[in-house]
Amino acid sequence: MGVTEKVTQAISHAPMIALLGNPNCGKTALFNRLTGSRQKVANYAGVTIERKEGHFMSPAGHPYRVLDLPGAYSLTAHTPDEAITRDVVGGLRANDGSPDVVVCVVNATNLRLNLRLVLEIQRLGLPMILCLNMVDVAKKRGIEVDAEKLARELGMTVVETVAVQSGGEKALLRALDEMWPVVPVKPQPLAAIDAVSVEDTQREVRRILSVVAKNVHNTDDRSEKIDNVVLHPVAGPIILAVLMFLIFQAVFTWAAVPMDMISGGVEHIGALLSEHMADGVLRSLLVEGIIGGVGSVLVFLPQILILFFFILILEDCGYLPRAAFLLDRLMGGVGLSGRAFIPLLSSFACAIPGVMAARTIQNPRDRLVTIMIAPLMTCSARLPVYALVIAAFIPEREVWGAVSLQGLILFCLYFAGIVSAMGVAWFMKRSAGSKVKQALMMELPSYHWPNLHNLAIGLWERAKIFLMRVGTVILTLMVLLWALSSFPGAPAGATHPPIYYSIAGMLGRALEVIFAPIGFGWEICIALVPGMAAREVAVGALGTVYALSQKGDDLATSLTPVLASSWSLATALSLLAWYVFAPQCLSTLSVVRRETGHARYAFYMAGYMFALAYAASFITYHTARALGA
Ligand SMILES: Nc1nc2c(ncn2[C@@H]2O[C@H](COP(=O)(O)OP(=O)(O)OP(=O)(O)O)[C@@H](O)[C@H]2O)c(=O)[nH]1
Ligand SMILES: [Mg+2]
């Protein structure tokens, strides 16, 4: 048996630890520290929505498997993500015995809330360790918790941890080693949790606290001061709007230099290849297919990273749940709860995590409506399309003094997505006839400075996702598109460029019948098809299509001026409107099917989005034409 096989075998038999606790108490931070993984850590409740498994070796050389779970306030699950946690602990999931050790993570600054879950879990009778996490924050605030007394009161090992500090997990590792070898125990049935009433449990929590802790009521003055401004009924919404506006400005203004550098580099490589390679199929594949197509998508990396830079900072400092509160009234107006805010905000990255984050919503109808409108939020894959069309058609100038016009248009497109999502939600809720509005109950975490290490990791992960997409899906589609666009070649005496007669050209011309009324020529129609697999492929596809449509010296020039000279402004605006609504993403539709459990919702979604897209583009195109664009 090889060394790796031995290790794999040892791990598959290793004891399973489950990290359990209230939302936002630092389970994932601890999981990452133990296993060296990079799961998402952020300062709001409901970040983890899936069971994640990892493994590690303790200092004494014992192997462990460890589960990171969604946070829960109680094991009597209310939301689908809490149900995952309950089922894992109770050993109710197929292929997954109950955990051998439960590590209950609690926020040391909020024991009153956190201890209730500890007492509930204790009734299952599994071996347990209590992790008093965030002791650094508790100390700063003057909250004193006597870990030894707490251990005596609860009858379990209690350790102090700081999950965000290197070495902050050592006490937990020591406690695990002391517990070795772990003897598997069968848990009591979940019904055991209800053996004691909630009131009695609360009373017990209060009793324990009075014995083991001092100053538990010390509040976080700094967070309160910030909230006085940020949650102010007038100043709050203004601050939120200004923040969002500044982010979109930065996406354009900061990204200009790195984007020029990347596109300069890509053009340089294209020019070098055209110069040194003999004219032929291979040169065409490399220059028009790969460099023209993939290069034109790659250019958008800086903009995507700048957008995420801001989103990650907002997530880590603790502002997001505040924004949810500010928007609760607005969302209530269309029948959604403020809880929908975080799934919707995640959809700005990509609708897929957004649709999944809707698991944190308790009311099934609210959850469904949130899922249905999530793809109307502008995902980062639309950014390249928007940015390309804006750069080609909107002059690079400033309005009202210092506001970049391009950034302003981008802001408007994002805004159009949000407004239409609210409209659709209103319509769906109204037609479902449900009027009950649930009050928003959400914990407001303390603010803290964003962790630079986490920020760097978050950006790196984003860059990796984007580059992987460029290197796999986008590259493959580009090569395929190039082949379909290059063959069978032009007949003798052709008057159009060869692509016009190619397979892709024929398909584009067939689709043109449907899309001509909204101003899309056959070239755009060709790009829409591979754009179904990944939206940003449309940009690469336009790169390839137009590169193949150019003649002689025009080859390998940048796409922006080519579009500016080939399309009318009306067509450009119509394409922007199309992208606000179009259901151009098969992966989202398949996740909707999985998360709702019904294929029909994916069809409804595709149907309503297609109809909206067509109508919006039609109106935009004809209005623009009437105005002379
Ligand atoms: N100062 C300090 N911050 C911590 C500590 N542990 C976690 N945090 C911060 O607390 C926030 C929540 O951490 P997560 O690991 O995402 O919490 P979680 O329990 O996994 O949350 P859910 O997945 O939403 O249930 C993050 O902003 C962390 O940086 C700690 O020991 N000290
Ligand atoms: Mg987590």
Side-chain angles (χ1 to χ4, degrees), residues 21-30 40-49 68-72 105 133-137 140 161-165 315-317 448 451 454:
N22 283 17
N24 210 36
C25 65
K27 298 175 295 298
T28 306
L30 200 58
K40 189 178 166 92
V41 168
N43 195 10
Y44 60 88
V47 180
T48 307
I49 43 173
D68 182 23
L69 294 167
V105 185
N133 193 38
M134 304 201 181
V135 280
D136 55 331
V137 189
K140 250 187 238 152
T161 54
V162 182
V164 288
Q165 257 168 32
E315 278 184 351
D316 206 22
C317 70
H448 61 66
N451 181 313
N454 277 350

mmCIF file of all heavy atoms in Angstrom, residues 21-30 40-49 68-72 105 133-137 140 161-165 315-317 448 451 454, ligand 1:
data_model
loop_
_atom_site.group_PDB
_atom_site.id
_atom_site.type_symbol
_atom_site.label_atom_id
_atom_site.label_comp_id
_atom_site.label_asym_id
_atom_site.label_seq_id
_atom_site.Cartn_x
_atom_site.Cartn_y
_atom_site.Cartn_z
ATOM 1 N N GLY A 21 -23.117 25.558 15.875
ATOM 2 C CA GLY A 21 -23.236 26.791 16.637
ATOM 3 C C GLY A 21 -24.212 27.741 15.992
ATOM 4 O O GLY A 21 -24.743 27.457 14.911
ATOM 5 N N ASN A 22 -24.436 28.861 16.663
ATOM 6 C CA ASN A 22 -25.316 29.876 16.102
ATOM 7 C C ASN A 22 -24.682 30.456 14.839
ATOM 8 O O ASN A 22 -23.473 30.334 14.653
ATOM 9 C CB ASN A 22 -25.495 31.013 17.109
ATOM 10 C CG ASN A 22 -26.445 30.631 18.220
ATOM 11 O OD1 ASN A 22 -26.723 29.456 18.431
ATOM 12 N ND2 ASN A 22 -26.936 31.604 18.930
ATOM 13 N N PRO A 23 -25.465 31.088 13.993
ATOM 14 C CA PRO A 23 -24.885 31.732 12.823
ATOM 15 C C PRO A 23 -23.860 32.798 13.242
ATOM 16 O O PRO A 23 -24.012 33.419 14.297
ATOM 17 C CB PRO A 23 -26.083 32.398 12.138
ATOM 18 C CG PRO A 23 -27.272 31.647 12.615
ATOM 19 C CD PRO A 23 -26.942 31.212 14.006
ATOM 20 N N ASN A 24 -22.854 32.955 12.416
ATOM 21 C CA ASN A 24 -21.876 34.033 12.571
ATOM 22 C C ASN A 24 -21.015 33.955 13.839
ATOM 23 O O ASN A 24 -20.543 34.969 14.321
ATOM 24 C CB ASN A 24 -22.590 35.396 12.521
ATOM 25 C CG ASN A 24 -21.693 36.481 11.955
ATOM 26 O OD1 ASN A 24 -20.906 36.207 11.046
ATOM 27 N ND2 ASN A 24 -21.772 37.660 12.493
ATOM 28 N N CYS A 25 -20.837 32.761 14.400
ATOM 29 C CA CYS A 25 -20.019 32.678 15.611
ATOM 30 C C CYS A 25 -18.588 32.272 15.288
ATOM 31 O O CYS A 25 -17.754 32.187 16.185
ATOM 32 C CB CYS A 25 -20.644 31.706 16.602
ATOM 33 S SG CYS A 25 -20.659 30.028 15.968
ATOM 34 N N GLY A 26 -18.284 32.013 14.014
ATOM 35 C CA GLY A 26 -16.904 31.721 13.626
ATOM 36 C C GLY A 26 -16.626 30.251 13.320
ATOM 37 O O GLY A 26 -15.472 29.832 13.333
ATOM 38 N N LYS A 27 -17.652 29.471 12.988
ATOM 39 C CA LYS A 27 -17.443 28.046 12.688
ATOM 40 C C LYS A 27 -16.571 27.875 11.448
ATOM 41 O O LYS A 27 -15.638 27.076 11.441
ATOM 42 C CB LYS A 27 -18.789 27.340 12.442
ATOM 43 C CG LYS A 27 -19.717 27.351 13.637
ATOM 44 C CD LYS A 27 -21.065 26.763 13.312
ATOM 45 C CE LYS A 27 -21.844 27.573 12.295
ATOM 46 N NZ LYS A 27 -22.186 28.939 12.719
ATOM 47 N N THR A 28 -16.909 28.634 10.417
ATOM 48 C CA THR A 28 -16.161 28.453 9.175
ATOM 49 C C THR A 28 -14.730 28.957 9.329
ATOM 50 O O THR A 28 -13.788 28.343 8.818
ATOM 51 C CB THR A 28 -16.881 29.161 8.012
ATOM 52 O OG1 THR A 28 -18.213 28.678 7.970
ATOM 53 C CG2 THR A 28 -16.204 28.888 6.703
ATOM 54 N N ALA A 29 -14.558 30.057 10.067
ATOM 55 C CA ALA A 29 -13.201 30.557 10.303
ATOM 56 C C ALA A 29 -12.383 29.469 11.002
ATOM 57 O O ALA A 29 -11.222 29.220 10.655
ATOM 58 C CB ALA A 29 -13.257 31.826 11.144
ATOM 59 N N LEU A 30 -13.000 28.779 11.951
ATOM 60 C CA LEU A 30 -12.321 27.714 12.683
ATOM 61 C C LEU A 30 -12.053 26.516 11.765
ATOM 62 O O LEU A 30 -10.968 25.920 11.790
ATOM 63 C CB LEU A 30 -13.219 27.290 13.853
ATOM 64 C CG LEU A 30 -12.568 26.566 15.007
ATOM 65 C CD1 LEU A 30 -11.465 27.405 15.628
ATOM 66 C CD2 LEU A 30 -13.613 26.247 16.084
ATOM 67 N N LYS A 40 -15.908 30.274 2.550
ATOM 68 C CA LYS A 40 -16.263 31.681 2.714
ATOM 69 C C LYS A 40 -16.577 32.044 4.170
ATOM 70 O O LYS A 40 -17.405 31.411 4.820
ATOM 71 C CB LYS A 40 -17.476 31.987 1.852
ATOM 72 C CG LYS A 40 -17.799 33.438 1.767
ATOM 73 C CD LYS A 40 -18.985 33.610 0.844
ATOM 74 C CE LYS A 40 -19.554 34.991 0.985
ATOM 75 N NZ LYS A 40 -18.990 35.927 0.052
ATOM 76 N N VAL A 41 -15.889 33.083 4.654
ATOM 77 C CA VAL A 41 -16.113 33.621 5.997
ATOM 78 C C VAL A 41 -16.572 35.058 5.815
ATOM 79 O O VAL A 41 -15.980 35.793 5.050
ATOM 80 C CB VAL A 41 -14.787 33.625 6.790
ATOM 81 C CG1 VAL A 41 -14.912 34.438 8.057
ATOM 82 C CG2 VAL A 41 -14.355 32.211 7.113
ATOM 83 N N ALA A 42 -17.663 35.448 6.428
ATOM 84 C CA ALA A 42 -18.083 36.841 6.319
ATOM 85 C C ALA A 42 -18.891 37.207 7.548
ATOM 86 O O ALA A 42 -19.378 36.325 8.259
ATOM 87 C CB ALA A 42 -18.908 37.059 5.062
ATOM 88 N N ASN A 43 -19.021 38.516 7.778
ATOM 89 C CA ASN A 43 -19.620 38.986 9.019
ATOM 90 C C ASN A 43 -21.136 39.191 8.900
ATOM 91 O O ASN A 43 -21.626 40.310 8.992
ATOM 92 C CB ASN A 43 -18.916 40.283 9.435
ATOM 93 C CG ASN A 43 -19.206 40.657 10.869
ATOM 94 O OD1 ASN A 43 -19.787 39.866 11.609
ATOM 95 N ND2 ASN A 43 -18.838 41.860 11.252
ATOM 96 N N TYR A 44 -21.869 38.132 8.637
ATOM 97 C CA TYR A 44 -23.329 38.167 8.728
ATOM 98 C C TYR A 44 -23.836 36.740 8.898
ATOM 99 O O TYR A 44 -23.106 35.788 8.604
ATOM 100 C CB TYR A 44 -23.975 38.844 7.519
ATOM 101 C CG TYR A 44 -23.703 38.218 6.178
ATOM 102 C CD1 TYR A 44 -24.508 37.200 5.678
ATOM 103 C CD2 TYR A 44 -22.640 38.658 5.395
ATOM 104 C CE1 TYR A 44 -24.256 36.630 4.434
ATOM 105 C CE2 TYR A 44 -22.383 38.090 4.161
ATOM 106 C CZ TYR A 44 -23.198 37.083 3.685
ATOM 107 O OH TYR A 44 -22.950 36.517 2.459
ATOM 108 N N ALA A 45 -25.059 36.612 9.398
ATOM 109 C CA ALA A 45 -25.602 35.275 9.647
ATOM 110 C C ALA A 45 -26.017 34.634 8.337
ATOM 111 O O ALA A 45 -26.561 35.300 7.461
ATOM 112 C CB ALA A 45 -26.804 35.377 10.576
ATOM 113 N N GLY A 46 -25.752 33.345 8.195
ATOM 114 C CA GLY A 46 -26.221 32.642 6.997
ATOM 115 C C GLY A 46 -25.222 32.615 5.865
ATOM 116 O O GLY A 46 -25.602 32.567 4.703
ATOM 117 N N VAL A 47 -23.926 32.650 6.170
ATOM 118 C CA VAL A 47 -22.928 32.581 5.105
ATOM 119 C C VAL A 47 -22.821 31.140 4.604
ATOM 120 O O VAL A 47 -22.886 30.869 3.408
ATOM 121 C CB VAL A 47 -21.550 33.057 5.607
ATOM 122 C CG1 VAL A 47 -20.526 32.978 4.500
ATOM 123 C CG2 VAL A 47 -21.653 34.468 6.154
ATOM 124 N N THR A 48 -22.677 30.193 5.544
ATOM 125 C CA THR A 48 -22.561 28.787 5.156
ATOM 126 C C THR A 48 -23.972 28.221 4.996
ATOM 127 O O THR A 48 -24.783 28.329 5.907
ATOM 128 C CB THR A 48 -21.809 27.996 6.243
ATOM 129 O OG1 THR A 48 -20.588 28.669 6.499
ATOM 130 C CG2 THR A 48 -21.527 26.574 5.808
ATOM 131 N N ILE A 49 -24.238 27.625 3.828
ATOM 132 C CA ILE A 49 -25.582 27.078 3.632
ATOM 133 C C ILE A 49 -25.522 25.615 3.234
ATOM 134 O O ILE A 49 -26.531 24.994 2.963
ATOM 135 C CB ILE A 49 -26.357 27.882 2.567
ATOM 136 C CG1 ILE A 49 -25.433 28.184 1.413
ATOM 137 C CG2 ILE A 49 -26.927 29.159 3.136
ATOM 138 C CD1 ILE A 49 -26.114 28.799 0.258
ATOM 139 N N ASP A 68 -18.161 21.396 8.470
ATOM 140 C CA ASP A 68 -18.631 22.757 8.730
ATOM 141 C C ASP A 68 -20.106 22.764 8.336
ATOM 142 O O ASP A 68 -20.465 22.256 7.281
ATOM 143 C CB ASP A 68 -17.847 23.748 7.869
ATOM 144 C CG ASP A 68 -18.253 25.177 8.140
ATOM 145 O OD1 ASP A 68 -18.786 25.445 9.234
ATOM 146 O OD2 ASP A 68 -18.027 26.037 7.266
ATOM 147 N N LEU A 69 -20.933 23.315 9.203
ATOM 148 C CA LEU A 69 -22.378 23.256 8.947
ATOM 149 C C LEU A 69 -22.988 24.654 8.967
ATOM 150 O O LEU A 69 -22.419 25.577 9.542
ATOM 151 C CB LEU A 69 -23.042 22.403 10.032
ATOM 152 C CG LEU A 69 -22.639 20.936 10.012
ATOM 153 C CD1 LEU A 69 -23.078 20.238 11.278
ATOM 154 C CD2 LEU A 69 -23.230 20.246 8.791
ATOM 155 N N PRO A 70 -24.172 24.801 8.369
ATOM 156 C CA PRO A 70 -24.866 26.083 8.474
ATOM 157 C C PRO A 70 -25.174 26.392 9.937
ATOM 158 O O PRO A 70 -25.450 25.476 10.710
ATOM 159 C CB PRO A 70 -26.169 25.854 7.705
ATOM 160 C CG PRO A 70 -25.905 24.711 6.799
ATOM 161 C CD PRO A 70 -24.910 23.846 7.514
ATOM 162 N N GLY A 71 -25.124 27.665 10.301
ATOM 163 C CA GLY A 71 -25.435 28.052 11.675
ATOM 164 C C GLY A 71 -26.909 27.818 11.981
ATOM 165 O O GLY A 71 -27.746 27.811 11.086
ATOM 166 N N ALA A 72 -27.217 27.594 13.272
ATOM 167 C CA ALA A 72 -28.620 27.382 13.650
ATOM 168 C C ALA A 72 -28.834 27.992 15.034
ATOM 169 O O ALA A 72 -27.934 27.975 15.869
ATOM 170 C CB ALA A 72 -28.934 25.899 13.684
ATOM 171 N N VAL A 105 -19.473 25.667 18.795
ATOM 172 C CA VAL A 105 -18.774 26.951 18.782
ATOM 173 C C VAL A 105 -19.742 28.021 19.270
ATOM 174 O O VAL A 105 -20.873 28.096 18.793
ATOM 175 C CB VAL A 105 -18.300 27.290 17.350
ATOM 176 C CG1 VAL A 105 -17.469 28.558 17.349
ATOM 177 C CG2 VAL A 105 -17.524 26.123 16.761
ATOM 178 N N ASN A 133 -15.455 30.981 21.393
ATOM 179 C CA ASN A 133 -14.732 31.683 20.324
ATOM 180 C C ASN A 133 -14.879 33.195 20.504
ATOM 181 O O ASN A 133 -15.701 33.656 21.283
ATOM 182 C CB ASN A 133 -15.291 31.232 18.973
ATOM 183 C CG ASN A 133 -14.412 31.651 17.819
ATOM 184 O OD1 ASN A 133 -13.187 31.618 17.926
ATOM 185 N ND2 ASN A 133 -15.023 32.056 16.729
ATOM 186 N N MET A 134 -14.071 33.936 19.797
ATOM 187 C CA MET A 134 -14.074 35.419 19.838
ATOM 188 C C MET A 134 -13.744 35.911 21.245
ATOM 189 O O MET A 134 -14.264 36.950 21.672
ATOM 190 C CB MET A 134 -15.439 35.981 19.417
ATOM 191 C CG MET A 134 -15.889 35.513 18.064
ATOM 192 S SD MET A 134 -17.119 36.640 17.402
ATOM 193 C CE MET A 134 -17.498 35.856 15.860
ATOM 194 N N VAL A 135 -12.889 35.188 21.961
ATOM 195 C CA VAL A 135 -12.533 35.670 23.300
ATOM 196 C C VAL A 135 -11.756 36.974 23.213
ATOM 197 O O VAL A 135 -11.750 37.776 24.154
ATOM 198 C CB VAL A 135 -11.738 34.632 24.114
ATOM 199 C CG1 VAL A 135 -12.648 33.583 24.708
ATOM 200 C CG2 VAL A 135 -10.666 33.990 23.275
ATOM 201 N N ASP A 136 -11.111 37.207 22.055
ATOM 202 C CA ASP A 136 -10.393 38.487 21.888
ATOM 203 C C ASP A 136 -11.369 39.657 21.971
ATOM 204 O O ASP A 136 -11.119 40.648 22.674
ATOM 205 C CB ASP A 136 -9.625 38.506 20.557
ATOM 206 C CG ASP A 136 -10.512 38.216 19.338
ATOM 207 O OD1 ASP A 136 -11.519 37.493 19.492
ATOM 208 O OD2 ASP A 136 -10.206 38.717 18.240
ATOM 209 N N VAL A 137 -12.509 39.524 21.299
ATOM 210 C CA VAL A 137 -13.498 40.608 21.309
ATOM 211 C C VAL A 137 -14.093 40.745 22.713
ATOM 212 O O VAL A 137 -14.271 41.857 23.225
ATOM 213 C CB VAL A 137 -14.632 40.339 20.295
ATOM 214 C CG1 VAL A 137 -15.519 41.553 20.146
ATOM 215 C CG2 VAL A 137 -14.074 39.902 18.961
ATOM 216 N N LYS A 140 -11.777 42.616 25.005
ATOM 217 C CA LYS A 140 -11.754 44.055 24.703
ATOM 218 C C LYS A 140 -12.972 44.752 25.286
ATOM 219 O O LYS A 140 -12.904 45.888 25.716
ATOM 220 C CB LYS A 140 -11.729 44.250 23.185
ATOM 221 C CG LYS A 140 -10.395 44.774 22.696
ATOM 222 C CD LYS A 140 -10.459 45.119 21.236
ATOM 223 C CE LYS A 140 -9.417 44.310 20.477
ATOM 224 N NZ LYS A 140 -9.736 44.047 19.103
ATOM 225 N N THR A 161 -10.971 29.968 22.007
ATOM 226 C CA THR A 161 -10.330 30.059 20.684
ATOM 227 C C THR A 161 -10.502 31.458 20.105
ATOM 228 O O THR A 161 -11.409 32.192 20.494
ATOM 229 C CB THR A 161 -10.963 29.080 19.667
ATOM 230 O OG1 THR A 161 -12.373 29.312 19.642
ATOM 231 C CG2 THR A 161 -10.691 27.648 20.006
ATOM 232 N N VAL A 162 -9.597 31.789 19.188
ATOM 233 C CA VAL A 162 -9.741 32.999 18.368
ATOM 234 C C VAL A 162 -9.543 32.516 16.937
ATOM 235 O O VAL A 162 -8.421 32.342 16.469
ATOM 236 C CB VAL A 162 -8.680 34.057 18.733
ATOM 237 C CG1 VAL A 162 -8.892 35.316 17.901
ATOM 238 C CG2 VAL A 162 -8.758 34.391 20.208
ATOM 239 N N ALA A 163 -10.667 32.282 16.264
ATOM 240 C CA ALA A 163 -10.590 31.586 14.981
ATOM 241 C C ALA A 163 -9.910 32.397 13.890
ATOM 242 O O ALA A 163 -9.519 31.848 12.865
ATOM 243 C CB ALA A 163 -11.997 31.191 14.527
ATOM 244 N N VAL A 164 -9.760 33.701 14.107
ATOM 245 C CA VAL A 164 -9.154 34.497 13.043
ATOM 246 C C VAL A 164 -7.675 34.776 13.300
ATOM 247 O O VAL A 164 -7.059 35.549 12.579
ATOM 248 C CB VAL A 164 -9.905 35.833 12.834
ATOM 249 C CG1 VAL A 164 -11.252 35.591 12.184
ATOM 250 C CG2 VAL A 164 -10.077 36.584 14.133
ATOM 251 N N GLN A 165 -7.104 34.163 14.344
ATOM 252 C CA GLN A 165 -5.687 34.390 14.616
ATOM 253 C C GLN A 165 -4.915 33.107 14.390
ATOM 254 O O GLN A 165 -5.378 32.035 14.779
ATOM 255 C CB GLN A 165 -5.505 34.802 16.078
ATOM 256 C CG GLN A 165 -5.277 36.280 16.255
ATOM 257 C CD GLN A 165 -5.404 36.679 17.704
ATOM 258 O OE1 GLN A 165 -5.076 35.895 18.591
ATOM 259 N NE2 GLN A 165 -5.876 37.877 17.935
ATOM 260 N N GLU A 315 -19.080 42.824 3.031
ATOM 261 C CA GLU A 315 -19.467 41.573 3.684
ATOM 262 C C GLU A 315 -18.725 41.364 4.988
ATOM 263 O O GLU A 315 -19.273 40.853 5.951
ATOM 264 C CB GLU A 315 -19.120 40.385 2.773
ATOM 265 C CG GLU A 315 -20.138 40.134 1.713
ATOM 266 C CD GLU A 315 -19.796 38.886 0.912
ATOM 267 O OE1 GLU A 315 -18.678 38.333 1.078
ATOM 268 O OE2 GLU A 315 -20.616 38.486 0.102
ATOM 269 N N ASP A 316 -17.431 41.738 4.983
ATOM 270 C CA ASP A 316 -16.625 41.392 6.151
ATOM 271 C C ASP A 316 -16.763 42.401 7.286
ATOM 272 O O ASP A 316 -16.567 42.059 8.445
ATOM 273 C CB ASP A 316 -15.154 41.225 5.746
ATOM 274 C CG ASP A 316 -14.432 40.292 6.706
ATOM 275 O OD1 ASP A 316 -15.119 39.485 7.371
ATOM 276 O OD2 ASP A 316 -13.202 40.381 6.814
ATOM 277 N N CYS A 317 -17.118 43.654 6.960
ATOM 278 C CA CYS A 317 -17.147 44.634 8.048
ATOM 279 C C CYS A 317 -18.460 44.558 8.821
ATOM 280 O O CYS A 317 -18.547 45.042 9.938
ATOM 281 C CB CYS A 317 -16.901 46.041 7.518
ATOM 282 S SG CYS A 317 -18.247 46.674 6.561
ATOM 283 N N HIS A 448 -16.468 45.107 12.397
ATOM 284 C CA HIS A 448 -15.014 45.037 12.612
ATOM 285 C C HIS A 448 -14.295 45.363 11.322
ATOM 286 O O HIS A 448 -14.879 45.321 10.241
ATOM 287 C CB HIS A 448 -14.575 43.712 13.235
ATOM 288 C CG HIS A 448 -14.880 42.489 12.429
ATOM 289 N ND1 HIS A 448 -14.301 42.223 11.226
ATOM 290 C CD2 HIS A 448 -15.707 41.448 12.676
ATOM 291 C CE1 HIS A 448 -14.755 41.069 10.771
ATOM 292 N NE2 HIS A 448 -15.626 40.600 11.623
ATOM 293 N N ASN A 451 -10.761 41.833 7.373
ATOM 294 C CA ASN A 451 -9.524 41.098 7.534
ATOM 295 C C ASN A 451 -8.809 41.048 6.174
ATOM 296 O O ASN A 451 -9.336 40.510 5.209
ATOM 297 C CB ASN A 451 -9.908 39.696 8.023
ATOM 298 C CG ASN A 451 -8.727 38.829 8.267
ATOM 299 O OD1 ASN A 451 -7.811 38.753 7.447
ATOM 300 N ND2 ASN A 451 -8.736 38.158 9.404
ATOM 301 N N ASN A 454 -8.320 37.641 4.562
ATOM 302 C CA ASN A 454 -9.552 37.118 3.959
ATOM 303 C C ASN A 454 -9.875 37.821 2.655
ATOM 304 O O ASN A 454 -10.344 37.207 1.695
ATOM 305 C CB ASN A 454 -10.749 37.334 4.892
ATOM 306 C CG ASN A 454 -10.830 36.256 5.927
ATOM 307 O OD1 ASN A 454 -10.120 35.259 5.833
ATOM 308 N ND2 ASN A 454 -11.672 36.460 6.930
HETATM 309 N N1 LIG B 1 -12.324 39.002 16.298
HETATM 310 C C1 LIG B 1 -12.730 37.778 15.957
HETATM 311 N N2 LIG B 1 -13.490 37.641 14.877
HETATM 312 C C2 LIG B 1 -13.887 36.388 14.529
HETATM 313 C C3 LIG B 1 -13.500 35.234 15.281
HETATM 314 N N3 LIG B 1 -14.037 34.145 14.683
HETATM 315 C C4 LIG B 1 -14.712 34.586 13.612
HETATM 316 N N4 LIG B 1 -14.619 35.935 13.508
HETATM 317 C C5 LIG B 1 -15.289 36.792 12.514
HETATM 318 O O1 LIG B 1 -16.672 36.538 12.648
HETATM 319 C C6 LIG B 1 -17.346 36.566 11.406
HETATM 320 C C7 LIG B 1 -18.123 35.276 11.193
HETATM 321 O O2 LIG B 1 -17.258 34.187 10.954
HETATM 322 P P1 LIG B 1 -17.710 32.884 10.144
HETATM 323 O O3 LIG B 1 -16.602 31.890 10.288
HETATM 324 O O4 LIG B 1 -18.174 33.219 8.784
HETATM 325 O O5 LIG B 1 -18.981 32.436 11.017
HETATM 326 P P2 LIG B 1 -19.902 31.144 10.827
HETATM 327 O O6 LIG B 1 -20.191 30.647 12.186
HETATM 328 O O7 LIG B 1 -19.314 30.186 9.876
HETATM 329 O O8 LIG B 1 -21.218 31.818 10.247
HETATM 330 P P3 LIG B 1 -22.413 31.116 9.371
HETATM 331 O O9 LIG B 1 -21.779 30.335 8.288
HETATM 332 O O10 LIG B 1 -23.188 32.291 8.860
HETATM 333 O O11 LIG B 1 -23.210 30.304 10.325
HETATM 334 C C8 LIG B 1 -16.283 36.819 10.373
HETATM 335 O O12 LIG B 1 -16.291 38.186 10.059
HETATM 336 C C9 LIG B 1 -14.987 36.416 11.060
HETATM 337 O O13 LIG B 1 -13.898 37.155 10.563
HETATM 338 C C10 LIG B 1 -12.682 35.438 16.437
HETATM 339 O O14 LIG B 1 -12.322 34.523 17.174
HETATM 340 N N5 LIG B 1 -12.330 36.736 16.724
#
